[in-house]
Amino acid sequence: MGKVMSDNWCKIYDAANSLEAHSLKGMLEAQHIAVQLSGEGLGSAVGELPTNAVEVGLWVRDFQQSSAQRLLAEYEQADQTAWVCAGCGEQNGSQFELCWQCGRDRAAGS
């Protein structure tokens, strides 16, 4: 009898904005963790709502929660020194090894 996978989702993180949310979603999905986002549509209300009301929530299935929380803790503890992609000039957080804009490897030059 195989492991029963739950379809329950739990909120594990509030990203400051849609850009951070999608970056984190990509990071988690690269580790085979399913992610859903909530609150993206509120970004247009910036200035009319409190700042934390426009945060984008990241949700994962409950059986993947501990793995996702570990990866997010590593993200939060990472040195926040950004690097600039040599390919497209985009600024990326230090925790990312690939440019979120063009996908170029950080080791290819920064």
Side-chain angles (χ1 to χ4, degrees):
M1 190 167 175
K3 181 179 177 183
V4 176
M5 300 233 182
S6 170
D7 201 27
N8 294 326
W9 292 81
C10 54
K11 186 176 183 181
I12 59 162
Y13 195 81
D14 283 316
N17 53 51
S18 185
L19 177 61
E20 180 186 31
H22 281 276
S23 294
L24 294 173
K25 181 178 189 273
M27 177 186 75
L28 293 172
E29 288 177 339
Q31 298 300 315
H32 309 289
I33 296 174
V35 179
Q36 291 183 357
L37 302 177
S38 66
E40 282 189 285
L42 296 175
S44 62
V46 170
E48 298 176 25
L49 294 172
T51 358
N52 66 343
V54 295
E55 292 175 338
V56 179
L58 276 80
W59 296 70
V60 299
R61 290 196 170 113
D62 57 0
F63 69 91
Q64 294 180 312
Q65 181 178 1
S66 62
S67 297
Q69 286 176 324
R70 179 182 46 78
L71 290 167
L72 290 170
E74 290 172 9
Y75 161 78
E76 288 183 332
Q77 292 171 2
D79 176 19
Q80 295 302 310
T81 304
W83 59 278
V84 177
C85 177
C88 70
E90 188 63 40
Q91 184 170 331
N92 295 276
S94 65
Q95 68 278 9
F96 298 107
E97 294 300 317
L98 298 177
C99 175
W100 74 270
Q101 181 67 27
C102 71
R104 185 176 180 147
D105 192 314
R106 180 181 189 170
S110 54

